[in-house]
């Protein structure tokens, strides 16, 4: 009886509501336009892409991906990479860490801690990561989302996955990554902060929480 009861309870608690099916559809191309504010896309420049093995994993994991490089009127550039998946409730389907992507492309990777970006409504916690390949120094800021929760891979994401799972929901979400080429790492991170604040203002209000959390 106990065994049968456990099976019945586990089936009852199994997440079944796909939030991607009940909320407005995310379309990355329209959510992140090629031009906004003082930023304009440089179509000829693309962020780092994964090696073939990593690309195969991405194709199997994500519903949509977007990679753009933007330049402002001062000639400063920021690379944006977004990967969206409709199921973020398990480690097998969740967004992967950028560290793996860069390491697979021959970069030496160093995590430089966490940082808070002050947005209009709240502070966004991001992870800073430095990727080096020869003379190329690429400071990176990134975070992941589950529905309207912005977090980081590790304990924060696991707790968010558990919270949505226990409520019977299958959360969608994305990996948000920005980077720039600069040997002055502090200057690069400050530029990324400005870019993300500008991007926050651009994203439609109904989608901001799904990109930047709450």
């Amino acid at each position: 009886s106990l065994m049968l009861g456990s099976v019945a309870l586990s089936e009852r608690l199994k997440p079944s509501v796909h939030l991607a099916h009940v909320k407005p559809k995310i379309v990355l191309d329209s959510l992140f336009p090629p031009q906004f504010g003082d930023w304009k896309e440089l179509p000829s420049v693309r962020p780092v892409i994964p090696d073939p093995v990593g690309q195969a994993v991405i194709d199997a994991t994500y519903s949509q991906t977007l990679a753009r490089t933007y330049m402002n009127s001062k000639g400063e550039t920021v690379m944006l990479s977004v990967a969206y998946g409709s199921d973020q409730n398990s480690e097998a389907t969740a967004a992967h860490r950028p560290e793996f992507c860069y390491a697979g492309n021959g970069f030496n990777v160093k995590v430089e801690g966490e940082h808070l970006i002050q947005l209009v409504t709240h502070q966004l916690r991001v992870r800073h990561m430095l990727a080096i390949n020869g003379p190329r120094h690429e400071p990176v800021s990134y975070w992941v989302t589950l529905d309207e929760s912005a977090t980081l891979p590790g304990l924060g994401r696991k707790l968010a996955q558990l919270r949505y799972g226990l409520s019977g929901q299958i959360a969608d979400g994305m990996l948000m990554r920005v980077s720039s080429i600069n040997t002055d790492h502090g200057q690069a991170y400050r530029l990324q902060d400005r870019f993300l604040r500008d991007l926050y203002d651009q994203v439609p209000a109904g989608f901001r929480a799904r990109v930047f959390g709450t």
Side-chain angles (χ1 to χ4, degrees):
S1 297
L2 287 173
M3 291 174 64
L4 290 174
S6 298
V7 171
L9 181 61
S10 65
E11 285 299 313
R12 185 173 182 179
L13 292 176
K14 187 176 181 179
S16 58
V17 179
H18 285 264
L19 295 180
H21 298 166
V22 299
K23 290 198 170 187
K25 183 178 180 180
I26 285 181
V27 180
L28 297 183
D29 277 334
S30 58
L31 198 57
F32 305 103
Q35 184 172 353
F36 62 93
D38 191 34
W39 300 95
K40 185 176 182 180
E41 182 187 11
L42 291 175
S44 60
V45 182
R46 286 284 181 265
V48 167
I49 60 174
D51 61 286
V53 174
Q55 187 61 52
V57 173
I58 285 176
D59 292 340
T61 304
Y62 300 119
S63 309
Q64 302 174 55
T65 58
L66 177 77
R68 288 197 176 124
T69 298
Y70 293 87
M71 177 182 285
N72 63 17
S73 59
K74 296 179 181 178
E76 299 169 317
T77 59
V78 172
M79 293 172 283
L80 170 69
S81 179
V82 185
Y84 169 78
S86 59
D87 181 349
Q88 296 290 304
N89 268 39
S90 72
E91 290 303 309
T93 60
H96 292 78
R97 296 173 184 245
E99 292 94 320
F100 303 147
C101 171
Y102 279 86
N105 280 274
F107 284 80
N108 292 318
V109 176
K110 176 185 177 183
V111 174
E112 298 197 305
E114 298 176 6
H115 170 67
L116 293 174
I117 300 175
Q118 183 62 57
L119 302 175
V120 174
T121 57
H122 66 288
Q123 289 183 318
L124 172 68
R125 185 178 298 275
V126 302
R127 181 165 291 158
H128 280 172
M129 180 192 89
L130 178 62
I132 301 176
N133 192 342
R136 176 177 174 135
H137 285 229
E138 185 172 345
V140 179
S141 300
Y142 77 86
W143 71 96
V144 295
T145 67
L146 285 87
D147 185 38
E148 297 185 357
S149 298
T151 184
L152 295 170
L155 179 60
R157 178 165 65 182
K158 290 181 184 298
L159 290 175
Q161 289 170 334
L162 180 62
R163 184 171 68 252
Y164 282 102
L166 290 176
S167 66
Q169 298 174 324
I170 298 173
D172 63 347
M174 61 187 79
L175 166 67
M176 293 288 302
R177 184 186 94 200
V178 294
S179 63
S180 41
I181 310 299
N182 197 332
T183 55
D184 187 332
H185 307 157
Q187 184 183 68
Y189 290 132
R190 289 190 294 273
L191 174 64
Q192 293 165 22
D193 284 11
R194 297 204 313 268
F195 174 84
L196 289 172
R197 284 193 288 267
D198 291 343
L199 184 62
Y200 178 89
D201 293 336
Q202 168 62 33
V203 171
F207 288 92
R208 283 177 188 159
R210 297 173 73 184
V211 177
F212 297 96
T214 58

